[in-house]
Amino acid sequence: MNIAFVTDSGTGKSKEYWAEQGIYSLPLQIEVNGHSFDEEENIMIPDVLNYLHANVPMKTSLPKLGEIEDLFESLKEKGYDTIFAVPICTGLSSTMNALEMAANMLGLEFIGVDCYTTAVVQGEMILTAKKMWESGHSIDEIVRMLNRIADSCDTILLVDDLNHLKQGGRLTPMAAALGGLLKIKPVLHLDMETEGRIDALAKVRTMSKAQDYVINRLKEIGV
């Protein structure tokens, strides 16, 4: 079995960074004013933050299907027969399904593990998978370890409003309903229990109280 390890820009790292780790990364898409950009390539995190502060509407989507197919074709030509992927979680994106479909079309075996979040956890999981494989661990052992990592993590979000998240359909119904309540600052989270969708963890009246809630929660779990 010759495995290519694949992730996406949800990790917050560039394609060049992952190439240095021997891992392949695909850019998620960010649409601004009708123009689509490759995340971490021609639109960077500071750009996204500037658009958010300026209340510029943005949409996100999975990597371009043609780019996924091109990558997998090149991997097959290099002698890889298996794709091991840890993309952004299925609760936020259909990237996993697109990767699996592309692999199947090319006759490549596909192994995908849901990180139930994104960012740091996603990056750590794909890196762990590659290191374990190189150390002689079996696929079953690797998948069990990655699931343990995912199960141990909880991503907490503090936002001023839910407009962007509601428009993208990435909230659970309960969390979305909070967006209509006045003077409520919901503390949001996503993890394995929420199946990678953003759910309400708590609701408070001010951002300072939301911050206090998060700090106290971290203390409770011993962070």
Side-chain angles (χ1 to χ4, degrees):
M1 182 181 290
N2 194 6
I3 299 180
F5 291 86
V6 178
T7 187
D8 58 48
S9 60
T11 61
K13 303 289 187 180
S14 67
K15 183 184 298 185
E16 290 72 24
Y17 169 85
W18 285 117
E20 293 176 359
Q21 317 304 318
I23 294 170
Y24 299 89
S25 180
L26 289 155
L28 298 169
Q29 300 297 295
I30 298 179
E31 184 180 312
V32 184
N33 294 325
H35 299 284
S36 185
F37 299 93
D38 293 336
E39 186 181 31
E40 292 298 324
E41 291 188 23
N42 50 25
I43 188 170
M44 311 304 287
I45 292 175
D47 301 318
V48 173
L49 293 176
N50 288 335
Y51 285 128
L52 286 173
H53 290 313
N55 291 318
V56 175
M58 289 181 288
K59 296 180 181 179
T60 59
S61 62
L62 68 162
K64 296 172 184 173
L65 296 178
E67 192 161 347
I68 296 174
E69 292 172 1
D70 289 345
L71 172 61
F72 285 7
E73 285 179 356
S74 70
L75 293 175
K76 186 173 182 178
E77 290 173 358
K78 292 176 181 178
Y80 291 105
D81 54 36
T82 303
I83 303 295
F84 191 110
V86 182
I88 184 173
C89 65
T90 57
L92 297 179
S93 173
S94 58
T95 299
M96 180 81 82
N97 290 337
L99 296 179
E100 183 172 11
M101 180 180 67
N104 291 338
M105 287 176 57
L106 292 168
L108 295 167
E109 183 177 350
F110 182 81
I111 303 166
V113 179
D114 200 330
C115 62
Y116 296 99
T117 182
T118 186
V120 176
V121 177
Q122 178 187 346
E124 184 62 27
M125 285 174 61
I126 191 66
L127 196 57
T128 297
K130 186 171 187 294
K131 288 180 177 179
M132 288 183 68
W133 178 250
E134 293 173 342
S135 298
H137 292 272
S138 69
I139 292 297
D140 286 343
E141 289 173 326
I142 296 171
V143 171
R144 284 197 297 269
M145 173 58 75
L146 298 193
N147 283 330
R148 283 200 293 270
I149 293 173
D151 191 35
S152 70
C153 296
D154 189 10
T155 300
I156 299 176
L157 308 172
L158 296 181
V159 296
D160 275 330
D161 65 68
L162 302 180
N163 289 334
H164 283 288
L165 294 173
K166 286 176 64 178
Q167 291 171 6
R170 292 176 170 88
L171 297 172
T172 64
M174 179 182 295
L178 290 177
L181 300 178
L182 296 177
K183 298 181 180 179
I184 288 292
K185 295 295 181 185
V187 180
L188 307 174
H189 77 135
L190 65 159
D191 58 12
M192 186 177 283
E193 185 177 336
T194 71
E195 298 182 341
R197 295 189 67 194
I198 300 171
D199 199 4
L201 184 62
K203 50 184 183 292
V204 294
R205 292 291 181 181
T206 64
M207 183 57 71
S208 63
K209 289 183 178 179
Q211 293 169 344
D212 289 342
Y213 176 91
V214 173
I215 292 171
N216 289 331
R217 180 177 173 83
L218 293 176
K219 288 179 178 178
E220 289 174 1
I221 61 178
V223 173

